[in-house]
Amino acid sequence: KMSAVFLLFLVSTANVGAALEKGLPRREPRRLSCVRCCGPSEQPVSIISSRYTRMSSDPAYSVPKVQPTIDITILKGEKGEMGEKGYPGAVGKEGERGLRGFNGRKGQKGQPGPQGHSCKQLYAAFSVGRRKPLHSSDYFQHVTFDTEFVNLYKHFNMFSGKFFCYVAGIYYFSLNVHTWNFKETYLHLMKNEKEVAILYAQPSDRSIMQSQSLMLDLQEGEEVWVRMFKRERENAIYSEESDVYIIFNGHLIKPAVE
């Protein structure tokens, strides 16, 4: 009786195994690929590396290729030679006004301006002196003045020692000097660059006052001044700090246009 039961169990087990084989798809037996471990001059390849080689050949396990890029701007070469100067560019917009600079040095006093309003009566007059004596050291020497008595409208320039005509017309001029003992006195009254009158005194053991005067017809812009003229003898004019011995005067008698 037990043997009959055991036989029945074997038959049922075989039927179940046959049914399972019919319902499931048959799988191909897995073939192991042969991997070359190493050549005569190669090192043995590990199982992990051989497995990675098999996996990378499969598209499903392929690794994307990485291509590095190089920034050429960081590759700085040597400094080249300076090129030719290019054409100037377009003019830009005017910038903002800068800060005010430092004040410059005070300039020399200029000539006085022309006469004022035409309705006013025209005048011109001056009287200047010199307190220092003067010896001529050059062939011609300009005489300047250091004392101002009258200088109407500043027509006489104390810096240059010249009267500048701003009002055309007839003028009267006079020159007074003090001679020096045993020395010659020789001066020219000048109109522009030409001598128009001479003041002369011979050497003497006594010093005297000597004068010269004249009238001139002047045009606007002309100048009148005094110079010393040296010849063979020593030429000099005398004066003192405490007093005035040299005086030059001039005034307008009649303007050209009234």
Side-chain angles (χ1 to χ4, degrees), residues 199-216:
L199 188 153
Y200 178 74
Q202 291 182 347
S204 174
D205 56 351
R206 295 187 306 161
S207 59
I208 59 173
M209 294 294 298
Q210 192 81 349
S211 65
Q212 179 66 280
S213 60
L214 77 164
M215 289 191 294
L216 294 174

Side-chain angles (χ1 to χ4, degrees), residues 81-258:
E81 296 180 357
M82 182 179 292
E84 296 181 357
K85 186 176 180 181
Y87 295 101
V91 180
K93 296 182 180 180
E94 185 178 356
E96 297 181 357
R97 186 174 183 179
L99 300 176
R100 184 175 181 180
F102 297 102
N103 294 331
R105 296 181 179 179
K106 185 177 180 180
Q108 297 178 356
K109 185 177 180 180
Q111 294 282 356
Q115 191 71 25
H117 198 275
S118 59
C119 295
K120 295 182 179 180
Q121 193 171 1
L122 303 178
Y123 295 99
F126 73 91
S127 179
V128 294
R130 180 182 176 92
R131 294 180 181 272
K132 297 180 180 179
L134 185 63
H135 288 77
S136 62
S137 56
D138 298 325
Y139 187 66
F140 292 121
Q141 185 170 348
H142 191 164
V143 179
T144 57
F145 300 87
D146 51 28
T147 304
E148 184 180 72
F149 297 111
V150 174
N151 194 1
L152 190 62
Y153 307 124
K154 303 296 180 181
H155 289 185
F156 189 91
N157 191 323
M158 296 295 294
F159 181 78
S160 64
K162 294 182 178 182
F163 170 75
F164 188 88
C165 178
Y166 286 97
V167 183
I170 306 299
Y171 285 81
Y172 175 83
F173 296 96
S174 65
L175 175 63
N176 300 274
V177 299
H178 195 283
T179 64
W180 204 306
N181 293 359
F182 305 105
K183 296 180 182 180
E184 188 177 47
T185 301
Y186 203 139
L187 294 96
H188 286 155
L189 267 171
M190 304 292 296
K191 177 182 177 182
N192 299 324
E193 299 300 324
K194 182 180 179 181
E195 61 272 12
V196 291
I198 296 174
L199 188 153
Y200 178 74
Q202 291 182 347
S204 174
D205 56 351
R206 295 187 306 161
S207 59
I208 59 173
M209 294 294 298
Q210 192 81 349
S211 65
Q212 179 66 280
S213 60
L214 77 164
M215 289 191 294
L216 294 174
D217 186 1
L218 299 180
Q219 303 297 320
E220 184 177 355
E222 293 185 314
E223 295 177 322
V224 178
W225 51 288
V226 180
R227 76 178 182 187
M228 297 184 70
F229 174 57
K230 181 180 179 181
R231 299 193 298 180
E232 293 81 8
R233 299 176 182 178
E234 186 178 5
N235 189 5
I237 49 179
Y238 178 80
S239 190
E240 293 180 357
E241 292 286 345
S242 60
D243 209 343
V244 181
Y245 288 83
I246 305 168
I247 296 176
F248 184 33
N249 299 322
H251 66 273
L252 176 65
I253 296 177
K254 182 179 182 299
V257 179
E258 294 183 340

